[in-house]
Amino acid sequence: MELLFLAGNVQDLVEVVPWTIVAQLCNLLIQVYLFKRFLFEPVKKVIKQRQDEINGIYTSAEEADEKAQAAKKDYEGLMEGAKTEAAQIMKDATSSAQTRSSEIISEAKQEAAAIRKKASADIELEKKKALNDVKDDISTIAMDIAEKVVEKEISKEDQTALIADFIQKMGDEQ
């Protein structure tokens, strides 16, 4: 009997009651509505807010990256400009140094030429002076010899003529 009792309970469990199905469907629809209204909608809003925040972060990161790239490009341009300017300064300094070096060498050559010219003029002057001294000495010696040979005094005009003749002969011999 127990078995029958159990079989009867099982049958009650399997039996389809239309009002129960309708009530369960209404309960299900109410639960879906409540979940949608109070659970899914707020969760969607929170997810959308977080997605918007993340998108904003990505956008600001991209903008910062673009600014950094632009700053890097500007920096590289400035560095290239500085390198070019430094090279130009070095080139100008080198050419200026070469020009100054050429000027100094030219001035030194001019000074050396002037010193040589002055030295040549001094040598020529000293030569003439020495020649005049020698002429004077020779004329004195010649006068002394002439006086002894002639044993008489020679007049000033005769003396000058003799000296000039003697110097002429000495000049020809050299």
Side-chain angles (χ1 to χ4, degrees):
M1 170 149 181
E2 220 176 269
L3 200 50
L4 264 180
F5 179 69
L6 285 175
N9 281 338
V10 171
Q11 222 177 23
D12 285 338
L13 289 175
V14 177
E15 178 180 330
V16 176
V17 179
W19 291 109
T20 305
I21 292 176
V22 170
Q24 286 178 348
L25 278 174
C26 286
N27 189 18
L28 179 67
L29 290 175
I30 291 172
Q31 284 179 354
V32 167
Y33 172 74
L34 291 176
F35 280 144
K36 184 177 179 190
R37 171 113 168 110
F38 295 109
L39 182 65
F40 292 134
E41 293 291 326
V43 168
K44 280 184 179 179
K45 286 180 185 177
V46 169
I47 290 173
K48 176 135 177 63
Q49 287 175 348
R50 292 215 176 151
Q51 186 65 40
D52 290 344
E53 288 176 14
I54 291 170
N55 288 342
I57 290 170
Y58 278 135
T59 303
S60 64
E62 288 174 356
E63 289 173 359
D65 185 48
E66 288 174 3
K67 287 179 183 178
Q69 291 297 332
K72 180 182 176 186
K73 201 177 274 188
D74 290 344
Y75 173 75
E76 288 173 352
L78 289 173
M79 287 303 291
E80 188 64 34
K83 285 179 185 177
T84 304
E85 186 176 342
Q88 183 63 36
I89 289 170
M90 287 297 292
K91 184 178 174 185
D92 292 345
T94 303
S95 69
S96 175
Q98 288 176 347
T99 303
R100 183 64 185 141
S101 173
S102 297
E103 289 173 0
I104 290 171
I105 290 171
S106 175
E107 288 173 6
K109 285 181 180 178
Q110 288 175 353
E111 286 178 19
I115 290 170
R116 272 188 252 136
K117 187 175 180 181
K118 186 176 186 253
S120 294
D122 288 346
I123 290 170
E124 194 62 37
L125 183 64
E126 287 297 321
K127 201 185 219 183
K128 286 181 182 179
K129 191 175 177 184
L131 190 57
N132 286 338
D133 286 345
V134 169
K135 284 180 184 180
D136 288 343
D137 289 344
I138 292 173
S139 67
T140 304
I141 294 171
M143 282 300 283
D144 288 341
I145 293 173
E147 275 181 17
K148 286 184 183 178
V149 170
V150 177
E151 297 264 329
K152 65 172 189 170
E153 286 268 340
I154 301 177
S155 69
K156 194 111 171 135
E157 293 86 23
D158 290 338
Q159 182 182 1
T160 306
L162 282 173
I163 291 170
D165 186 43
F166 180 75
I167 290 173
Q168 183 66 32
K169 287 180 184 175
M170 289 295 283
D172 290 341
E173 287 178 12
Q174 290 178 353

